[in-house]
Amino acid sequence: MENKAVAFIKSNEWFKSAMVGHGTHNGYVAVPPGNKYHRMSYFDIDDISVHGGITFSEPVMSGEESIGSKRKINPKYVGKRNPILDDAEFITDNTEIGDDWWIFGFDTFHHGDDEYNWDKQIVIQETMYLMEQLCPTT
């Protein structure tokens, strides 16, 4: 397994509400142990600039409590790979994510976000920008 970051996006197709505008996808970057941000909550990261800020910070293997929000994890996911990896659409050549890795992400559910200004291609670009900041040498 290569020891570098993996970037992926997830479709927002699951969220169908005419009441809330949103982009077509959210973006995520998984980093290996040894990365300076590994195991950090997004509340503690202030030197990364990404659309709306980092809104997701979780281990690949789900524990009993969310690191970022301190919410309890559904017991069916505890000790299993994070469900955010289900149906991930990888945008890096490297797709191997170790169980001891950490995932960071941003969403496109902010005021003014829609499928036109946050389409798949723009989300891919922003996700790659996030990866460059999390792993400057990747």
Side-chain angles (χ1 to χ4, degrees), residues 1 6 9 14 21-22 27-28 33-34 37 45 51 55 83 92 100 116 126 138:
M1 179 184 320
V6 174
I9 60 174
W14 60 271
H22 57 82
Y28 302 90
Y37 299 102
I45 299 174
H51 174 69
T55 56
T92 51
D100 56 350
Y116 305 108
E126 190 73 356
T138 298

Side-chain angles (χ1 to χ4, degrees), residues 7-15 21-28 50-53 55 84 86-91 105-110 113-127 130:
F8 60 96
I9 60 174
K10 292 275 294 190
S11 170
N12 286 333
E13 187 66 26
W14 60 271
F15 190 83
H22 57 82
T24 61
H25 294 75
N26 295 335
Y28 302 90
V50 68
H51 174 69
T55 56
I84 202 75
D86 297 346
D87 302 319
E89 185 175 339
F90 293 100
I91 59 173
F106 69 96
D107 66 74
T108 58
F109 286 92
H110 305 279
D113 291 355
D114 61 32
E115 68 273 17
Y116 305 108
N117 59 13
W118 284 100
D119 65 13
K120 182 177 181 178
Q121 194 55 46
I122 297 296
V123 172
I124 288 172
Q125 290 173 7
E126 190 73 356
T127 305
L130 174 60

